[in-house]
Amino acid sequence: MSALSSFLPLPLQTVLLLAASNVFMTFAWYGHLRSLATAPWYTAAFVSWGIALAEYLLQVPANRIGHQQAGFSVGQLKIMQEVITLLVFVPFAVFFLKEPLKLDYLWAALCMVGAVYFIFRNG
């Protein structure tokens, strides 16, 4: 991570690492529904576990940098992760899993805006 820290601000490092980790976790959780749809569940579970390991190798440094160096609270990190989850999941569901784009995603995003407001406001 030292190469990143030399030119990227700590909050941006946190967000980028969380975003990358979320891409891996989304594939670990849902990718098998399409790519391993006919494989036995235990095969999908082991493949997903391997993908999740890559997610953890990004998520743990993201949370450490965010909390210990960038000064985010644990609540702020969690809400940030949830917003990133929605930003990653919706395109994944639509383009990879071929799910229809639903208006409910917009309502969920608006709820997240409220969560971001409350967790990041001074008070």
Side-chain angles (χ1 to χ4, degrees), residues 80-99:
M80 205 180 315
Q81 178 64 37
E82 295 304 327
V83 170
I84 292 167
T85 296
L86 190 60
L87 291 172
V88 169
F89 177 76
V90 172
F92 177 85
V94 171
F95 296 112
F96 185 78
L97 294 178
K98 308 295 186 209
E99 294 280 326

Side-chain angles (χ1 to χ4, degrees), residues 55-111:
E55 185 270 342
Y56 275 95
L57 294 173
L58 295 168
Q59 178 265 120
V60 170
N63 283 323
R64 285 181 170 233
I65 291 167
H67 186 65
Q68 296 172 351
Q69 297 173 356
F72 291 118
S73 71
V74 174
Q76 289 171 329
L77 287 168
K78 182 59 181 169
I79 294 301
M80 205 180 315
Q81 178 64 37
E82 295 304 327
V83 170
I84 292 167
T85 296
L86 190 60
L87 291 172
V88 169
F89 177 76
V90 172
F92 177 85
V94 171
F95 296 112
F96 185 78
L97 294 178
K98 308 295 186 209
E99 294 280 326
L101 182 61
K102 296 180 180 182
L103 193 55
D104 288 343
Y105 294 137
L106 173 63
W107 305 134
L110 290 175
C111 290

